[in-house]
Amino acid sequence: MSNSSKTLLLAEPQASYHPHSSRNGLIEVLVDCPGVQGLLTYRVPTELSVQPGDILTVPLNTQVIGAIAIRYVSSPPAGLDPSKIREVEDVITSGFFPAYYWQLLNRVAQYYCTDLITVIRMALPPGLLEKSQRRLRLKTEALPKGAEAFCSLSAQQVLSLLNSQKEGDYSARYLQSQIRGANRGIRELIKRGWIESYLEPPKPIRAKLQKVVTLLVQTFPMELTKSQREALEILRHQGGEIWLSELKKTYNISVSTVNSLQKKGCVVIEERERLRLLQEPETGKDQAKPLTPAQADALKVISNLRGFSQVLLHGVTGSGKTEVYLQAIAPLLAQKKSVLVLVPEIGLTPQLTDRFRARFGDRVYVYHSALSDGERYDTWRQMLTGTSQVVIGTRSAIFAPLPNLGLIVLDEEHDSSFKQISPIPTYHARTVATWRAALENCPLILGSATPSLESWVNVRQDACYLSLPERIHSRPLPPVEIVDMRQELQGGNRSIFSHSLQEALENLLQQQKQGILFVSRRGHSTFVSCRSCGYVMECPHCDVSLSYHYTHEGATELLRCHYCNHTQVHPPTCPECSSPYLKFFGSGTQKVTQELTRQFPELRWIRFDSDTTRQKGAHRELLSQFARGEADVLVGTQMLTKGLDLAQVTLVGVVAADGLLFHSDYRASERAFQTLTQVAGRAGRGEDPGRVIIQTYSPDHPVIQSVRSHNYTQFIDRELPQRESLSYPPYGRLILLRITGMDGVEVQQTAELLADACGDRLGNECEILGPAPASIMRVARRYRWHILLKFPSDGEYMIGDLTELRSLCPQSVSLTIDVDPLSID
């Protein structure tokens, strides 16, 4: 790239947004050019009408490339000679994204202290513009006879060249290379409606073309073979069309049979684009269920909402929040509106998707990061069609470009998975959902059995609070039994299972029921230590111990870091003193399953954690196996606590609750209460009563006592005053500065420099805590220091002052500005 081109780069998240062109016609665009960072500034010709969100072609060096119009600016960037600003070539597609979309992305960029270009690339599906190219094709049906006589010379040449190609389709770059002044001719022909301009999909994820077979006749000829007649009957039964691949695979009809039918004029075979959407198994049809009085009251309030409003739907586990969502969504789809439903984990989508598809059929789509690039690209494109639909997804789906949005739902709104930690921007989907609902003037429902304290304080005061205090069919919440593991040890029980939990597991087989065992960590053991010298096996790249992993009898014994994924073979002797006495401490999911096999060989179990769900579709497959009764016990980590609705589960056991209670973080108690309450709620959701057993060495802990009585109010009445006294959220605002680098001394010095700069820039606006080393100082060979900024909840802070901090960091030191962090340890 030339020096003059480099001066065009710009990234200023503070720039204001203008929905219409500025007087001098300067617009910033995101270009389709690998390696180009930031936004480029171009001038809009007077004959072109360009709006933010349009797909453009712009000159860059010696080529013309695709671009997205982002925003108008009132003046060129500092130091840029206005005479060096080049003009936009053309508009390929108008209104590719609605105007509100760029307002939303601008707000995300400003609030989360991130340059706009980074936000845009994060929001769009992979490869939406990369390596794409502008193409032009004839509209033969609109082209009059002798059209060349009505055109300018350049337009005649374009028409002649397109007519010479069989498909009437060429890239704009090729036409420009062959015809002088091609752009003038192209604009003229597009205005006349004789050719059309489009952006060819990126090469790595091109549109997928497949052959489709279409029935042409209603009466079948007599001279048909058995297989030919069978093929035509299948086509008639399928509504006259079917994919050729499906005809072969599902019905065993050969290609030669179909080709013969085409020769007879019975069918036609043609290529057509087939969207790569997530393929889900067929579900049965479902009807709206009778509602409890509380559900009916909640639905009535939600149905009467007009315009933007926030609703906190606080329902105990099993109270039927999903049914309220479904019945609130149905009339919106009838009004040709779309709905966005966000869930915290990919593992939740199969069960929820099945329920929605049983109710709404093929109008339900799934969008999350575990889809292939092609699936994400095609799902995104079908959203732009404007059809009425429901999109279910994780936090990234908040940027899905659904038109005519009628409702946004955040299920399990309290869950920390809605917060992005890495990469930047560190946005929270709940915050962005609030902004989007306001921009699109639609309601936002926040649903949870254990609402976040922010939602409880902010939304409950300023918005609509709806309560579902009882389970459907008046089923009772399961009794919670607290087992003091200190007494178990005193009684001689060295097992990881208390006597009470052992008895309950033995009864599962007799009663032909199922159980869930919750473990706070995956792996086998938390750490490995030498009993002779006390040496602990640690990660060479992080300041943490290595976890022991042992999947099955005869498998390689591994030590793995859960922070950087470093893996090494477990040594036979201590590296420090050569002692063979290495002991495993703590219990992970692998150890629990091993103990289950040893103590209860008749019990069948499935392990459900991030180790066993890495493969695509693994969440659905494991849960389906459990739902079909192919296992008696489901052993897993946090993902077990979210949204599972399995009627046969009568037992929930928490193996070691203490792993949740004692963290150096102001949210530790809130997270522990939410997790334990949610996992307890998985029991007793069917006809049979449930039972919950929580094992702990701290039975008198206030969180444990609140969980025992399913008492959310008791918990918040104790927790909120503590937060308020320390000005922590929801009574204060936090921004965490994370400083990382390979050189520990350099990172520390940079952190001290930034802390001083914060003091100079922010003055008395906030309290500055730090700098201090992170609780785990080194991860993946990078040293980590933190600075915590505490603002009063009603205070304003200058985003510009914070983004300027990045310029103070050496190139080898990285600064992440985490606005509203969920963890500060």
Side-chain angles (χ1 to χ4, degrees), residues 32 125-133 199-208 276 373-374 377-378 381:
D32 171 22
L128 185 65
L129 283 185
E130 292 176 3
K131 299 183 182 176
S132 55
Q133 66 170 327
L199 202 65
E200 184 181 51
K203 292 286 191 298
I205 48 173
R206 295 180 69 97
K208 181 179 180 180
R276 290 156 291 195
D373 285 355
Y377 176 73
D378 283 357
R381 288 169 60 224

Side-chain angles (χ1 to χ4, degrees), residues 713-724:
T713 305
Q714 180 189 67
F715 167 72
I716 61 170
D717 285 348
R718 178 187 174 278
E719 184 71 12
L720 284 176
Q722 295 182 21
R723 297 275 187 95
E724 188 171 21

